[in-house]
Amino acid sequence: MPNYRTHLIGGAFTYMAICCLLVFTQKHYSLNFAQLLLGLYLSLLGSIFPDIDIRSRMQRLFLLFVSPIFFTAIIYQQWKLLIILSASILFITLVKHRSLTHNIWFILGLPLCIALPTIAYTRLATHVVFLMYIFFVFGALSHRFLDYGPRKFFTR
């Protein structure tokens, strides 16, 4: 079973693959440095996200990665975002290991529940939010791939 280092390496490779795809498919589209860093951050965060449901180094690492988002929400007085993130993390810590957080629909759906209100209530460009969603989701899917392998990736 892969440990947190393996999952972080998988998230980094996923990030590089997405960036390469963006370079080869979008000739006139470029990400600025801050967006590239945020994409790497979200890919790494997604790569350890499915194991938030167990007390482990990955759970502590995930909470460490999420803490800047909490502090930013407090500084900018984004109370709805803070409540949603807090409730999500509390809920996730109460489920059994490899049940909900390793489900493909959950991996696709939870970030979407954060991305859609972000598009609706902020001035961020839709394509930037969509790319950040892609970075996080594919990071989380890399975790699932490393846990189950190619044969069980779609069946579990």
Side-chain angles (χ1 to χ4, degrees), residues 13 24 28 85 93-94 96 104 117 127-128 135 137 140 151 155:
F13 275 112
F24 291 123
H28 302 289
L85 287 173
T93 57
L94 298 175
K96 290 181 1 184
I104 287 180
H127 70 279
V128 173
F135 281 121
V137 166
R151 289 187 178 192
T155 59

Side-chain angles (χ1 to χ4, degrees), residues 38-52:
L38 183 59
L40 176 62
Y41 177 81
L42 290 171
S43 291
L44 295 175
L45 185 65
S47 72
I48 58 174
F49 171 75
D51 279 345
I52 192 175

Side-chain angles (χ1 to χ4, degrees), residues 44-111:
L44 295 175
L45 185 65
S47 72
I48 58 174
F49 171 75
D51 279 345
I52 192 175
D53 57 358
I54 58 170
R55 290 206 185 278
S56 66
R57 185 174 285 163
M58 273 194 260
Q59 186 184 53
R60 289 189 300 271
L61 193 59
F62 179 83
L63 294 174
L64 181 68
F65 270 117
V66 171
S67 59
I69 299 170
F70 278 102
F71 291 126
T72 303
I74 292 169
I75 290 170
Y76 290 103
Q77 298 179 354
Q78 298 296 317
W79 306 121
K80 292 177 186 176
L81 175 63
L82 188 65
I83 291 169
I84 290 169
L85 287 173
S86 300
S88 300
I89 289 175
L90 179 64
F91 176 74
I92 290 168
T93 57
L94 298 175
V95 298
K96 290 181 1 184
H97 183 51
R98 289 201 178 168
S99 59
L100 182 64
T101 59
H102 282 70
N103 184 308
I104 287 180
W105 296 111
F106 184 77
I107 291 172
L108 295 172
L110 181 68

Side-chain angles (χ1 to χ4, degrees), residues 38 87 114 130 136:
L38 183 59
I114 295 171
F130 177 71
F136 182 85

